[in-house]
Amino acid sequence: QVQLVESGGGLVQAGGSLRLSCAASGSILSIVDMGWYRQAPGKQRELVASMTSGHSTNYADSVQGRFTISRHNAENAVYLQMNKLKPEDTAVYYCNARLYTAVGAWGDYWGRGTQVTVSS
């Protein structure tokens, strides 16, 4: 019943910006962590940024200083502001939430992904 919906991906020029959004809906009791992962062709999926319910953040070294994660707990939403984009940021970006459902089950839930393409 839980669903994560992403938006904001697209094609941008190097040095440009994008803002990704993700909202979780369904039978959610509480969300512990929300974050963003990405996977480029031929590469492993990697954590980009995450934020706990207490607003503690974690960033990949490759995006530190360029990307900013934010979260609105009341809306079960998480955002990723991406600035100074580089071609190597090109990937499919996935929203993730670690949460408890309304019946007490725990699990990780994923969005379907949104493509971010940065041109040279």
Side-chain angles (χ1 to χ4, degrees):
Q1 297 181 24
V2 176
Q3 182 173 303
L4 273 60
V5 179
E6 303 151 324
S7 62
L11 173 64
V12 298
Q13 180 179 318
S17 299
L18 282 174
R19 179 178 169 86
L20 304 183
S21 300
C22 174
S25 62
S27 301
I28 300 171
L29 179 63
S30 63
I31 298 179
V32 179
D33 302 313
M34 295 192 78
W36 294 92
Y37 292 72
R38 68 185 182 188
Q39 187 167 24
K43 295 186 177 182
Q44 297 179 346
R45 184 180 299 182
E46 64 174 347
L47 173 69
V48 178
S50 65
M51 179 176 284
T52 69
S53 59
H55 299 109
S56 177
T57 59
N58 186 36
Y59 293 93
D61 290 342
S62 59
V63 307
Q64 183 73 44
R66 299 188 297 118
F67 292 8
T68 302
I69 188 170
S70 59
R71 183 173 170 182
H72 197 295
N73 291 338
E75 299 174 351
N76 291 332
V78 65
Y79 309 90
L80 186 68
Q81 180 66 46
M82 304 186 294
N83 298 325
K84 302 177 181 178
L85 283 162
K86 305 175 181 179
E88 49 263 45
D89 294 318
T90 295
V92 177
Y93 285 70
Y94 298 91
C95 178
N96 168 262
R98 179 170 294 179
L99 56 84
Y100 291 91
T101 68
V103 296
W106 176 93
D108 282 331
Y109 292 83
W110 297 86
R112 291 184 293 177
T114 184
Q115 178 71 46
V116 172
T117 302
V118 185
S119 62
S120 301

